[in-house]
Amino acid sequence: MMIAGLDLWFWAISVLGLASFLICLFRFLRGAAPDDWSQGSVILLEAFLIIYLVGSIIMQVTTDGPSGDWLEYYGYLLTAMIIPVGTFIWSLSERTRWSTLVLGLTGPVLLIMVHRMNMLWYYY
């Protein structure tokens, strides 16, 4: 299903990424070090990306695959999957409020990357 030319994967990451960003931003402004809320929101984003990967593979097998370069598509996806893991590991090693802000930036970055993947899948 498409809304405004974007599929439900995009809208799901929009909601999850925005929620994660707002949680982490709120925790950062309160001066909190990474905690269950901020780290948990990033773990949720990674879980979404794992489901997204499985869905992409199923769609690749059952349809014609991406309109654009499939290698670029999966390169974006694998890079997107590394970002939450990297920020999570960083938040374990640097227990300052700045790590909470870095965790918060994961959501908007993934939103942009999934938007690009959406364009590669349907339009290029």
Side-chain angles (χ1 to χ4, degrees):
M1 182 175 158
M2 304 279 275
I3 302 171
L6 300 164
D7 64 8
L8 289 180
W9 294 110
F10 171 79
W11 294 109
I13 195 66
S14 296
V15 170
L16 294 174
L18 180 62
S20 176
F21 173 72
L22 292 175
I23 288 168
C24 293
L25 182 64
F26 177 74
R27 304 293 299 150
F28 167 76
L29 293 174
R30 297 203 31 129
D35 59 5
D36 290 345
W37 284 98
S38 56
Q39 291 174 324
S41 69
V42 172
I43 290 171
L44 184 63
L45 292 174
E46 182 66 23
F48 169 81
L49 289 172
I50 292 169
I51 294 167
Y52 189 88
L53 173 65
V54 171
S56 294
I57 292 169
I58 291 170
M59 287 172 52
Q60 178 88 36
V61 171
T62 60
T63 67
D64 292 336
S67 297
D69 183 20
W70 68 270
L71 193 55
E72 184 179 3
Y73 176 83
Y74 285 102
Y76 267 94
L77 182 52
L78 294 176
T79 302
M81 293 180 77
I82 292 170
I83 292 170
V85 173
T87 58
F88 182 82
I89 291 170
W90 183 0
S91 73
L92 293 175
S93 64
E94 184 181 323
R95 305 294 297 170
T96 66
R97 68 187 288 231
W98 295 103
S99 290
T100 305
L101 182 61
V102 170
L103 285 169
L105 295 176
T106 303
V109 168
L110 293 182
L111 175 73
I112 292 165
M113 293 188 79
V114 171
H115 183 270
R116 175 69 178 139
M117 287 184 275
N118 194 278
M119 295 297 112
L120 284 168
W121 190 275
Y122 294 105
Y123 301 110
Y124 293 110

